[in-house]
Amino acid sequence: MKPELTIQLMDTHAGGDVSRIVTGGITALPGDTVRAQMEYLRDDADGLRRLLLEEPYGIPEMSVDLLVPATHPEAAAGYIIMEVMGYPIYSGSNTICTATAVLEAGIVRKQEGKQHFKLESPAGLVNVEATVRDGVVEAITCEGLPSYIHTHNANITVPGIGKVNYSVAYSGGFYALVDAKSLGFDLTLDEERRLAEAAHAIVEGIQAERGFSHYTLGDVGPLPFLHFMGPVEQVAEGYYRSRSATYVHPGVICRSTTGTGTSARLALMNHEGRIKPGDKLETISLRETGFIGEFTAVEQEGEYQVVKNNITGKAYVIARSDIVVNCDDPMVDCKGLTHILSTENIA
């Protein structure tokens, strides 16, 4: 009889976006940093990502976060982010979910009130503040990546849509930022499919016309994301609110507003002089969920004003399960997978 191979999962969601946290069943990966381990997974073991995001185990709208031992002495755990488009080096919603899972799994002991710890992402160390009340993780605040506006107020003509004005931010990936009203959208749930179709056409048009380079990272690939922006409403001194929708893949509008999308919005508001350090922006999704971005500081890096920021949200645990991996199943593709499967719990 063949040994039964299983992968241990804790399914969570933040703002509606499901993050599957892999807590066990995967061998230790080679690499002296979490970034190097991510690159190994991407190049030599992509089967794990495909297994958990494709039928019969998952759907493209999910994300996967593999817990790995931290390589940095200050970090409680490391994590590698996997999404349908690949391996982003950072994600706000995935970090919120991973930090919650680390607490729920006991890797970091819960403490009442506010507690602080660090995680190691492929982008580096991430400071985390957790708020715990009566044993429940009520909120996670994590650092967003330093964000900046690469291109402001450009335009492109898109077949079937017409002229589209956009700006481009980097906040962990390059984002096209588009005013929703200018295209006739109110950012309501019934528009979800049309938003995805419009975003796909705009992104393809921008990709065909030009590329973007990060001021230190260089070429990080073609622009993948688009963030639709609703009107910004000031609801209190230093506190703003705006409806938002983030496109990440053909047919996929995120259920949340996304942490990196919110960071991109802060960079744009700073660039346009509409926000100052200490101010906050709450982004509201098509499903009425939200994240809060706080603009904490700004630094000049060459020609760019780089915005430092924090993202706050709440994650919910929705399932704990063992995935049974049966490579004889015709629905299961085990290429790039079997050599990293283990019966030991990595966490």
Side-chain angles (χ1 to χ4, degrees), residues 38 44 107 143 205 237 246 265 295 335 337:
M38 179 207 79
D44 297 291
I107 297 170
E143 292 178 291
E237 180 64 30
T246 295
R265 294 289 301 276
F295 175 19
K335 292 177 184 176
L337 176 65

Side-chain angles (χ1 to χ4, degrees), residues 66-149:
L66 171 63
L67 289 180
V68 296
T71 65
H72 195 288
E74 295 180 19
Y79 64 110
I80 298 170
I81 306 160
M82 291 167 271
E83 297 183 348
V84 66
M85 78 294 295
Y87 293 80
I89 62 172
Y90 190 74
S91 161
S93 61
N94 281 285
T95 301
I96 290 167
C97 286
T98 299
T100 301
V102 163
L103 289 162
E104 295 294 349
I107 297 170
V108 172
R109 186 175 64 85
K110 288 183 189 177
Q111 300 174 22
E112 283 293 306
K114 295 187 183 298
Q115 64 182 107
H116 297 86
F117 58 93
K118 295 180 180 180
L119 296 174
E120 185 181 356
S121 77
L125 281 179
V126 180
N127 289 309
V128 175
E129 179 186 85
T131 302
V132 178
R133 294 192 184 94
D134 298 324
V136 176
V137 182
E138 293 290 352
I140 295 289
T141 297
C142 57
E143 292 178 291
L145 287 192
S147 305
Y148 69 97
I149 296 301

Side-chain angles (χ1 to χ4, degrees), residues 9 27 37 42 75 98 122 139 152 158 182-184 187 191 199 205 209 220 248 252 286 300 322 330:
L9 301 177
T27 61
Q37 292 176 36
R42 180 193 66 200
T98 299
H152 185 248
V158 180
S182 69
L183 299 183
L187 298 181
E191 298 174 334
E209 186 175 271
V220 293
V248 294
V252 179
L286 304 183
Q300 193 72 32
D322 288 350

Side-chain angles (χ1 to χ4, degrees), residues 315-334:
Y316 297 84
V317 176
I318 56 177
R320 293 180 176 88
S321 61
D322 288 350
I323 293 287
V324 178
V325 182
N326 185 349
C327 294
D328 293 330
D329 185 339
M331 291 286 291
V332 178
D333 182 0
C334 284

